[in-house]
Amino acid sequence: MSTPDSSSQPSLVQQSRDGNVLILTINNPPVNAFSPGVPEGLKAGLDAAAADDSVTAVVIIGGGRTFVAGADIRTFDLPREQSPDLRGTIEKLDGFTKPTVAAIHGTALGGGLELAMGCTYRVAVPGAQVGLPEVKLGVLPGAGGTQRLPRVVGAAKALDMMLSGNPIKATEASQLGLIDRLIDGDLLAGAVEFAREMADARPLPRISDRSVPGATPDVFAAARQGIKKTHRGQLSPSLIVDLAEMAATVPFQEGWDAEATKFMEAKDSPQSRGLRHIFFAERESAKIPGITKDTPTTEIRSAGIIGAGTMGGGIAMNFLNVGIPVTIVETQQEALDRGLSVIRRNYENTAKKGRMSMEDVEARMALLTPTLDMGDLKDADIIIEAVFENMDVKKDIFTRLDGIAKPGAILASNTSTLDVNEIASVTSRPESVIGLHFFSPANVMKLLEIVRAEKTSDTVLATSMALAKRIKKVGVVVGVCDGFVGNRMVHRYGDEARQIVEEGARPEDVDASMNALGLPMGPFQMSDMAGLDIGYAIRQHQAKVAGQPKPDGWLDRIVETGRKGQKTQGGIYDYDETRRPIPNADMQKLIEDYRAEKGITPREITQEESTKRLAYSLVNEGAKILEEGIAQRAGDIDVIYIYGYGFPAYRGGPMQYASEQGLSSVVADLEKYGQTPAPLLKRLAEEGKTFAQYDAEKGR
Ligand code: T1G
């Protein structure tokens, strides 16, 4: 992705007149980001307005689908002299002697809202959205947002908007006084009319002249307390609270200047680099070589789901949530009834929290057709199998589906590790077969691994990617191998975690070493939650396939005691009513006896060693996955591991995290702790490159 600079940019702002109103239209598709060329154009327009006595007011509007979506994130690392001068533009607006009106449609986000707040007035269409999402990029509103927003909407609401990063609708913004008038119909005409009405109003109202409503000390204290939970380990939230407090306690100019300094501090942090990396990586992961917007797709008007268990029910909800009718199949009435009651209960729980009405619940349930007859799937546009993770069972189902599904229907398996090529091979239409690996709980987790089998057609792939977006998933295309990308990495990670305990660490210390990195759950907390028997079965299966002896590790022995994790009220840990993991002395003794039996003398393992061994085991497996072409990009692996496994987004994902540490030091630590670095990882380390550079060089 090229980074623009201001040297050769044409003006991206067109000037036009409507009587005595000068109109400045920003044309920088697709989202009118504040790129080089935009500030120059706006400043030129303001100079023209100042110099022309016939101009009594200025309207600033976005061309295309939106106002300004913010600063151009790609320019953050440009030298200051090449960075678009958003602050200078806003200062010019703040001191302008004629009224300026920001006319907002689509979104005014970040620098876009800051630009609008630098204007005298703001008008918007009711459906527009305004917000300051900078915290999601590891930065903070750096062009006056921390100083102006509190002055308009009050301290508490401003903190909520800046710390959540979530936009609000123009209708709410209007009630808050952030929008001066809602325009129904033609936004430009309404904005010009408003500008004419206000042309002679003096003094010009400047937000920077106001004070901050509701700025009591406890508001800031509460915000500081809140971010300890919501933004654990992150830098920019605390800077935002400090700046919002300055808005209430020091003169505007002092706060404005402090904001610039703190913005640079946040921008230059690894956390911001990580969050900006994932912002673009998530969008890049939707791009597949050979698949373009012209690739034919099929319309998904109905779905069939085989299996009404935890996964099948969760998958069904994704379709019901966006109005796609679902026929759901089970083999036993009791299982079908149970599945439907779980779906209904999930919706009713959401309704109890006020996030859905009971009418919504009934509307969704009305789209759900239960059946015991797989033949009822004959008209479905897509059929997703979500049954027991056994190849023979899946082959039987796809054989039957081949005789039932209509021509052109997509036949998808929700398998989490099995060979989709082998599943496709039992059908007469392998081009219609794909893997859609949802993550549990499927109605919550955003990640969807889209497993492209050898014969999957471009149409089926493109349709699946479009469907992922439609059901609000982050779809990432992966290739066929045992575990695809995420589970393959997590299996290696689990091996390393068990090894660390075998060598002398306690499970709770290993988990703590990943909590310290920012993961909400360490490997053993995650295993206990997923069910120890799942990993146990996979290890047994893999050993059997490899012709190796039955695994007999310390964790296998725990499973063989009947402790399978949270589902049996205990696994590696015990659990209290809040599901807090509590170390179990008997399990610790089982581990110690295991070491003694194997002749292992336990040694002290530091948190640093544990964190590095675990994090780098992910990175090393990721590098192998890249080399084998199972993942297209290192960025795709980061997206998968953040959205599917809880890797902290502010670290940018495992591959970005490794690049931040320096791949040479990663290779050295892998070798120090007995892991063999993947050839690609060694090569990049020797070349002094990052994974992001690897992706860029491959043009992916
Ligand atoms: N800068 C650069 N590129 C951007 C961009 C931005 N701000 N926003 C979007 N793009 C690109 C995106 O990468 C994609 O590119 C294309 O536009 C369409 O985006 C000083 C410092 C506006 C809600 O955080 O939330 O202002 O893949 O697929 O789904 O205080 O884009 O086509 O090559 O997301 O319709 C604050 C980020 C910046 C808003 C539209 N602003 N953008 O969603 O399209 S920091 C943001 C969005 C800032 C100031 C601070 C969304 C959207 P490509 P898209 P969409």
Side-chain angles (χ1 to χ4, degrees):
M1 181 174 305
S2 66
T3 301
D5 65 60
S6 55
S7 54
S8 58
Q9 290 293 335
S11 168
L12 300 176
V13 177
Q14 277 66 47
Q15 297 181 24
S16 59
R17 288 289 290 267
D18 184 332
N20 53 15
V21 175
L22 176 68
I23 299 161
L24 302 180
T25 304
I26 300 169
N27 284 309
N28 183 26
V31 296
N32 287 328
F34 210 83
S35 306
V38 174
E40 293 81 356
L42 287 176
K43 288 178 184 175
L46 291 171
D47 289 342
D52 183 338
D53 292 340
S54 71
V55 172
T56 58
V58 178
V59 166
I60 297 175
I61 192 166
R65 62 183 168 117
T66 182
F67 188 68
V68 175
D72 184 335
I73 307 169
R74 296 165 302 169
T75 67
F76 277 25
D77 296 327
L78 281 179
R80 185 187 284 265
E81 64 277 7
Q82 290 178 35
S83 286
D85 186 15
L86 176 54
R87 286 174 64 90
T89 306
I90 293 171
E91 282 180 314
K92 193 176 185 75
L93 279 166
D94 200 39
F96 205 60
T97 57
K98 297 179 180 178
T100 51
V101 179
I104 300 169
H105 70 302
T107 58
L109 298 176
L113 179 56
E114 290 172 307
L115 176 69
M117 289 195 288
C119 291
T120 319
Y121 304 103
R122 287 146 297 283
V123 300
V125 296
Q129 295 209 331
V130 299
L132 295 177
E134 288 87 340
V135 71
K136 293 181 178 177
L137 296 169
V139 290
L140 50 91
T146 64
Q147 305 304 303
R148 285 192 169 87
L149 188 63
R151 284 175 162 82
V152 179
V153 305
K157 182 64 179 176
L159 281 165
D160 173 54
M161 288 177 68
M162 291 191 287
L163 293 174
S164 70
N166 296 332
I168 60 174
K169 287 197 181 335
T171 44
E172 180 185 359
S174 171
Q175 290 156 3
L176 292 166
L178 183 54
I179 297 292
D180 297 296
R181 177 178 291 180
L182 292 174
I183 307 289
D184 284 315
D186 184 321
L187 173 63
L188 181 56
V192 168
E193 181 186 346
F194 180 86
R196 284 212 180 91
E197 285 174 28
M198 308 310 287
D200 301 327
R202 295 295 185 278
L204 295 174
R206 301 190 324 165
I207 291 175
S208 51
D209 293 335
R210 300 188 201 181
S211 60
V212 176
T216 54
D218 62 343
V219 165
F220 302 105
R224 289 192 172 93
Q225 196 56 34
I227 58 177
K228 284 179 185 162
K229 286 195 289 288
T230 56
H231 293 80
R232 192 164 64 95
Q234 296 186 51
L235 167 68
S236 63
S238 61
L239 300 180
I240 287 171
V241 178
D242 295 346
L243 285 163
E245 192 167 40
M246 289 184 76
T249 54
V250 303
F252 179 86
Q253 191 58 44
E254 188 177 334
W256 168 264
D257 293 341
E259 181 188 75
T261 306
K262 291 178 184 286
F263 174 79
M264 295 305 286
E265 179 186 348
K267 178 186 75 71
D268 292 337
S269 69
Q271 295 185 2
S272 180
R273 286 195 292 272
L275 286 164
R276 280 180 273 140
H277 161 72
I278 215 63
F279 174 88
F280 289 114
E282 186 181 329
R283 286 155 178 81
E284 286 305 300
S285 68
K287 296 169 188 169
I288 308 159
I291 304 291
T292 68
K293 59 184 177 16
D294 301 325
T295 303
T297 56
T298 54
E299 193 181 352
I300 303 296
R301 289 174 301 263
S302 65
I305 291 174
I306 303 173
T310 306
M311 290 308 291
I315 293 168
M317 291 175 71
N318 290 296
F319 289 85
L320 301 175
N321 292 343
V322 294
I324 299 174
V326 172
T327 300
I328 191 162
V329 179
E330 259 296 352
T331 52
Q332 307 291 332
Q333 188 62 47
E334 187 261 340
L336 192 57
D337 295 343
R338 186 170 60 244
L340 264 67
S341 66
V342 168
I343 293 171
R344 173 175 286 280
R345 189 169 66 243
N346 284 339
Y347 281 137
E348 287 173 351
N349 287 341
T350 303
K352 281 183 192 129
K353 294 171 190 164
R355 294 206 302 259
M356 181 185 284
S357 69
M358 282 311 290
E359 290 73 27
D360 292 337
V361 174
E362 295 311 329
R364 282 169 170 76
M365 295 306 290
L367 291 172
L368 185 57
T369 305
T371 180
L372 298 175
D373 178 4
M374 201 185 287
D376 290 344
L377 303 184
K378 63 186 182 349
D379 298 324
D381 296 315
I382 183 170
I383 300 168
I384 302 174
E385 163 272 314
V387 301
F388 187 61
E389 191 71 352
N390 173 285
M391 181 57 84
D392 294 338
V393 171
K394 293 185 187 300
K395 282 182 170 180
D396 171 58
I397 283 175
F398 276 78
T399 303
R400 293 166 59 197
L401 273 183
D402 199 21
I404 294 169
K406 69 180 182 183
I410 293 177
L411 309 182
S413 171
N414 174 54
T415 180
S416 60
T417 57
L418 298 178
D419 186 333
V420 182
N421 292 320
E422 189 176 341
I423 293 172
S425 69
V426 302
T427 72
S428 63
R429 47 177 125 177
E431 70 283 355
S432 297
V433 178
I434 194 165
L436 293 180
H437 176 209
F438 289 81
F439 284 71
S440 184
N443 54 308
V444 173
M445 296 295 281
K446 283 179 70 77
L447 179 63
L448 177 62
E449 277 187 327
I450 298 175
V451 188
R452 183 181 202 173
E454 283 160 17
K455 296 178 179 171
T456 302
S457 73
D458 286 355
T459 290
V460 167
L461 182 62
T463 303
S464 299
M465 288 299 289
L467 177 65
K469 190 156 187 170
R470 185 175 170 195
I471 61 174
K472 300 181 175 44
K473 296 294 182 188
V474 175
V476 184
V477 176
V478 299
V480 175
C481 71
D482 191 347
F484 313 132
V485 173
N487 279 351
R488 174 169 158 180
M489 289 168 67
V490 86
H491 293 157
R492 180 67 202 81
Y493 168 79
D495 294 346
E496 193 66 19
R498 290 193 303 279
Q499 180 61 32
I500 293 170
V501 167
E502 190 164 307
E503 291 173 22
R506 296 180 306 172
E508 54 268 35
D509 297 329
V510 174
D511 280 338
S513 76
M514 292 312 276
N515 297 151
L517 192 62
L519 282 81
M521 299 184 96
F524 301 121
Q525 293 160 333
M526 193 165 69
S527 299
D528 260 2
M529 184 182 76
L532 299 179
D533 50 333
I534 293 173
Y536 179 85
I538 289 170
R539 289 193 294 278
Q540 302 290 326
H541 168 74
Q542 287 176 337
K544 186 177 171 192
V545 165
Q548 290 167 351
K550 178 180 175 301
D552 178 31
W554 61 268
L555 188 53
D556 301 307
R557 293 189 181 183
I558 287 181
V559 177
E560 286 160 3
T561 66
R563 292 172 64 95
K564 298 178 181 174
Q566 288 189 16
K567 61 178 149 184
T568 55
Q569 284 70 50
I572 297 161
Y573 302 109
D574 289 331
Y575 291 88
D576 62 17
E577 61 286 348
T578 65
R579 292 198 170 191
R580 183 170 56 87
I582 302 161
N584 174 291
D586 295 339
M587 293 306 105
Q588 188 53 39
K589 176 133 183 4
L590 180 149
I591 292 167
E592 287 159 7
D593 293 348
Y594 173 85
R595 289 188 195 122
E597 180 191 317
K598 299 289 180 185
I600 296 167
T601 305
R603 68 178 178 88
E604 157 102 29
I605 293 175
T606 64
Q607 183 171 95
E608 180 191 1
E609 175 182 341
S610 181
T611 301
K612 284 183 173 180
R613 287 176 63 174
L614 290 172
Y616 297 167
S617 67
L618 293 171
V619 176
N620 208 28
E621 198 62 27
K624 292 172 186 170
I625 285 167
L626 268 181
E627 277 174 310
E628 296 166 26
I630 300 295
Q632 290 184 92
R633 307 172 188 86
D636 289 9
I637 294 172
D638 287 330
V639 171
I640 285 170
Y641 227 76
I642 285 170
Y643 282 106
Y645 298 82
F647 204 92
Y650 67 79
R651 302 274 189 199
M655 312 307 270
Q656 173 70 10
Y657 172 69
S659 296
E660 280 285 340
Q661 308 314 304
L663 297 188
S664 297
S665 75
V666 171
V667 166
D669 282 326
L670 281 167
E671 289 170 338
K672 176 180 173 184
Y673 298 122
Q675 295 185 46
T676 306
L680 172 64
L681 181 56
K682 283 202 80 163
R683 175 169 68 80
L684 292 176
E686 285 155 6
E687 295 167 0
K689 288 181 181 162
T690 64
F691 281 114
Q693 287 167 319
Y694 170 78
D695 283 350
E697 284 168 8
K698 290 184 74 176
R700 291 168 172 239

